[in-house]
Amino acid sequence: MQQHDEGNAHAAWRPLSPGEVGDLFRDWDRFWCIAGGWALDLSVGRKSRDHEDTDVLILRQDAEALHSLLPGWELWAADPPGQLRRWQPSEPLPERVHDIWCRERGMTAWRFQFMVMDHDDTRWIFRRDWSVGGSLATLASEVDGVPVVTPEIQLLYKGNGIRRPKDEADFQTALPHLTPAHRA
């Protein structure tokens, strides 16, 4: 990511824990869930590795409401190809943007990242192949009071063709816990 405006993609991360994110979203009446490596760890019931960030999945239709939910926060659009730029409350989120980085206003450390899920009225849609998707009801489950993206959907997103050690570790952590249907 290139630096744009005052956003620095290389600034330190001091991620919120999944529980702290849950506290922020406690009264939000829209879909959200923990995603990424934390979702897999929460699903299997143990922390398998250190997490340098915390990912939160939301639906695209709800993105603009984030400004109201987080009034003391800066929201930055990861705008392809490789720009991180301030996302203003009056600006619709461009369809090409799938990630939003967040930090408290005036701070330099990033605290969590939104992953924006494309969807229609009843179905989530895999952005790399729109023929792949499923019922919105299958997108998340609850673990200890915190919604988390289901492991099989999270692994689908991690399988982006770039083999990273943390993604391989996440796969090995989740695999024994997947049902045969979820493995398929």
Side-chain angles (χ1 to χ4, degrees), residues 123-126 128-134:
R123 210 175 153 263
W124 61 269
I125 299 169
F126 183 50
R128 293 190 287 268
D129 180 348
W130 281 53
S131 69
V132 176

Side-chain angles (χ1 to χ4, degrees), residues 12-146:
W13 275 87
R14 283 188 324 131
L16 296 179
S17 70
E20 290 170 320
V21 170
D23 290 343
L24 280 176
F25 283 83
R26 183 176 321 272
D27 297 324
W28 207 43
D29 62 352
R30 297 165 189 248
F31 176 87
W32 72 275
C33 63
I34 298 295
W38 269 119
L40 296 170
D41 277 0
L42 290 168
S43 293
V44 302
R46 67 178 175 82
K47 185 176 176 186
S48 65
R49 64 174 177 83
D50 288 333
H51 298 277
E52 69 260 6
D53 63 3
T54 301
D55 299 324
V56 178
L57 181 70
I58 61 161
L59 300 177
R60 182 166 297 280
Q61 73 184 15
D62 298 327
E64 291 179 32
L66 295 172
H67 291 288
S68 297
L69 174 70
L70 302 167
W73 290 71
E74 296 177 1
L75 304 180
W76 293 75
D79 201 349
Q83 280 192 316
L84 188 60
R85 64 172 182 81
R86 188 81 172 268
W87 179 42
Q88 300 298 333
S90 59
E91 175 194 0
L93 187 68
E95 287 188 30
R96 67 185 178 274
V97 172
H98 296 279
D99 301 293
I100 303 165
W101 293 22
C102 304
R103 63 185 179 196
E104 291 105 338
R105 187 170 292 124
M107 303 302 287
T108 58
W110 301 108
R111 304 292 275 162
F112 63 97
Q113 173 178 304
F114 288 108
M115 315 303 281
V116 181
M117 174 70 76
D118 292 308
H119 60 92
D120 61 23
D121 290 339
T122 60
R123 210 175 153 263
W124 61 269
I125 299 169
F126 183 50
R127 76 171 180 251
R128 293 190 287 268
D129 180 348
W130 281 53
S131 69
V132 176
S135 166
L136 287 172
T138 66
L139 193 51
S141 60
E142 195 167 296
V143 177
D144 297 329
V146 176

